[in-house]
Amino acid sequence: MKKTLLLCFIHGFKGGESTFGDNYAFTEHLRQLVAADLPNINVNVVVYPKYETRGDLGECVARFRDWLMNKVIDLEVAAGTSSPTIDPSVRVILVGHSMGGIVAAETAIELSSDKPIHGSTDPAVEDPKLDHRTADSAPLHRPPSPSSLMFPYIQGVLGFDTPYLGIAPAVFAHGVEGHYATASAALSQLSSLTSLLGAKGAQAQSNATTQKRQIAALPAPEKKEEQQRNNGSAWGNWGKIAMVAGAAAAAAAGGAAAYYNRDQITQSVSWATSHLEFVGVLYRREELRRRVAYMVRLNNDLGVGFGNFYTRLGRAAGSKEVSMVGTVMGNERTFCVLPKKDPAGDWREAINDKAKDEVTAHISMFDLKDNPGYTKMAHDARDMIVKWLQNDWYESSNGDVIRA
């Protein structure tokens, strides 16, 4: 029987038809590249419906897991697999852009352990006898042993500019340098945004002292009557809210407020709160680290691939250094916080010599005309996936083609 590798693409925050290139061109391009190098198996593509990566991360993962399971079951039925949970004919590579990569990793963790990272507690946090500190260099509690009886079976998790360790603070610093005066006009609206984040466990309040110090550096907020003229609502001007949110929480959130910009947030409060809730996972630094640590163990114990292509600005970007909350940001400009000492899988840079800022590089990864490094990135991604398939499951594949 000829087995099937399913490349499952997951949109990031507010992803749409153009996320993976016009009409999902990158998904088919990568499929063709992988299929050419893995002739023993079928290589199929599915794309998770747009705008579904939202709301509480746990609920988002549950929806995605059910959707993926149905897709894989259909393929297993078509193949006539006698025991898909013990000897599956289908394995999956989860390919996520931006926050979609966090959905992918959390899904792989749940399928292999039934113990999600999101919303859980690390025993090292609760037991003072364990050597655990909150600094990035602190040791992590060893993740639980994964189970090989996954269904669907995840062969690898491949992120594209996924902020597995948070968004680089320089993303915000470079983006708003010199614009604090504009941001200050919306300070009176900050309480509405902060309460939403706090209600969903975004942990924005955890660094209240730092936030107060940052806010104190700004001019006084606008008067009440001026706020009322701002479309009659505390949610009236999304651009200003975004800037204020970032100014208040950049140090604590590692620049997560970069997601809150007027091109991404609509005037719908229900829509906005759902997405703010989803992006709130970037505030949980220990949770981010534990998620990466588990994926590394999943790779070591079961051979499940884990990689991330992160954008780095090239020749078109300035090399200036700016300061933010007393810290000087370097001139190596990336969208993601990069791993330092702890193992974090296979991280590879995807340089964009045309983009002038980190967010532009982030959203144009799969656009051939706006990313001169597109072809190299696609071939490097192909090589990474092919490497993950050098195993007995692939070598035992043969026979008739299975159509999706």
Side-chain angles (χ1 to χ4, degrees):
M1 177 178 66
K2 193 167 187 177
K3 298 177 179 179
T4 299
L5 179 67
L6 187 64
L7 303 181
C8 179
F9 289 79
I10 310 170
H11 293 287
F13 176 60
K14 199 178 179 288
E17 285 89 347
S18 61
T19 295
F20 297 108
D22 291 339
N23 296 317
Y24 304 105
F26 179 76
T27 66
E28 176 59 20
H29 185 193
L30 185 60
R31 188 202 70 78
Q32 292 177 3
L33 291 174
V34 172
D37 276 18
L38 296 175
N40 286 12
I41 58 177
N42 304 302
V43 180
N44 293 349
V45 164
V46 290
V47 182
Y48 191 49
K50 62 181 181 179
Y51 306 143
E52 285 302 301
T53 44
R54 57 181 170 78
D56 176 77
L57 179 60
E59 295 174 0
C60 176
V61 170
R63 291 193 304 270
F64 171 72
R65 181 176 175 174
D66 290 345
W67 177 88
L68 177 63
M69 186 174 296
N70 288 332
K71 295 293 183 183
V72 173
I73 287 174
D74 288 345
L75 289 171
E76 294 287 16
V77 170
T81 308
S82 58
S83 183
T85 57
I86 304 298
D87 185 22
S89 72
V90 178
R91 290 195 177 185
V92 181
I93 301 288
L94 298 178
V95 185
H97 175 245
S98 191
M99 292 291 290
I102 291 182
V103 174
E106 191 74 9
T107 301
I109 291 168
E110 287 197 26
L111 289 172
S112 62
S113 70
D114 277 333
K115 295 180 180 179
I117 298 297
H118 177 65
S120 65
T121 57
D122 187 343
V125 174
E126 300 182 342
D127 188 347
K129 297 179 181 179
L130 293 174
D131 183 14
H132 184 96
R133 300 178 298 278
T134 57
D136 288 343
S137 60
L140 285 169
H141 184 73
R142 183 167 174 79
S145 299
S147 169
S148 61
L149 295 177
M150 286 187 282
F151 185 81
Y153 193 97
I154 307 302
Q155 182 62 64
V157 171
L158 177 55
F160 282 91
D161 228 17
T162 293
Y164 286 115
L165 296 171
I167 299 177
V171 172
F172 180 78
H174 284 95
V176 302
E177 185 186 20
H179 295 287
Y180 285 126
T182 303
S184 66
L187 272 173
S188 60
Q189 301 170 338
L190 179 59
S191 59
S192 298
L193 183 59
T194 304
S195 64
L196 280 174
L197 296 175
K200 299 303 181 182
Q203 303 301 314
Q205 300 292 335
S206 63
N207 285 271
T209 302
T210 302
Q211 294 181 12
K212 289 179 181 178
R213 188 159 50 243
Q214 180 65 23
I215 293 174
L218 300 174
E222 64 181 283
K223 296 180 181 180
K224 182 177 180 180
E225 55 269 23
E226 292 174 333
Q227 175 186 330
Q228 291 175 342
R229 288 198 300 269
N230 188 9
N231 294 335
S233 169
W235 298 95
N237 191 317
W238 289 105
K240 292 181 180 180
I241 289 177
M243 297 180 73
V244 175
Y259 276 91
Y260 313 148
N261 61 71
R262 58 175 172 263
D263 292 330
Q264 292 175 313
I265 299 180
T266 72
Q267 296 298 320
S268 167
V269 172
S270 60
W271 185 97
T273 56
S274 176
H275 285 74
L276 292 173
E277 181 180 19
F278 181 61
V279 176
V281 302
L282 296 176
Y283 284 89
R284 306 184 180 103
R285 296 175 69 184
E286 283 301 305
E287 189 175 287
L288 291 171
R289 292 181 65 218
R290 286 190 289 119
R291 183 175 295 112
V292 169
Y294 188 93
M295 288 304 304
V296 170
R297 180 161 190 183
L298 198 56
N299 175 257
N300 293 336
D301 291 4
L302 298 182
V304 173
F306 179 49
N308 191 27
F309 285 88
Y310 63 91
T311 56
R312 181 172 71 80
L313 299 187
R315 290 190 292 267
S319 60
K320 66 179 181 178
E321 294 185 352
V322 299
S323 61
M324 183 70 175
V325 198
T327 302
V328 176
M329 306 299 179
N331 55 17
E332 288 292 312
R333 296 175 56 178
T334 63
F335 182 83
C336 302
V337 170
L338 303 184
K340 297 178 181 177
K341 297 180 180 179
D342 294 335
D346 189 354
W347 287 54
R348 305 187 189 184
E349 65 179 13
I351 301 173
N352 189 323
D353 282 319
K354 186 175 181 179
K356 296 182 179 180
D357 61 80
E358 294 88 343
V359 174
T360 299
H362 178 73
I363 63 178
S364 62
M365 289 189 81
F366 309 104
D367 191 329
L368 184 59
K369 69 179 185 300
D370 289 329
N371 179 16
Y374 169 92
T375 300
K376 182 180 186 302
M377 181 186 73
H379 284 81
D380 287 348
R382 181 267 321 272
D383 294 344
M384 191 180 292
I385 292 173
V386 169
K387 180 180 177 181
W388 295 344
L389 269 294
Q390 303 307 303
N391 53 32
D392 293 340
W393 180 84
Y394 172 75
E395 294 299 335
S396 65
S397 176
N398 58 74
D400 297 331
V401 174
I402 304 169
R403 297 297 181 186

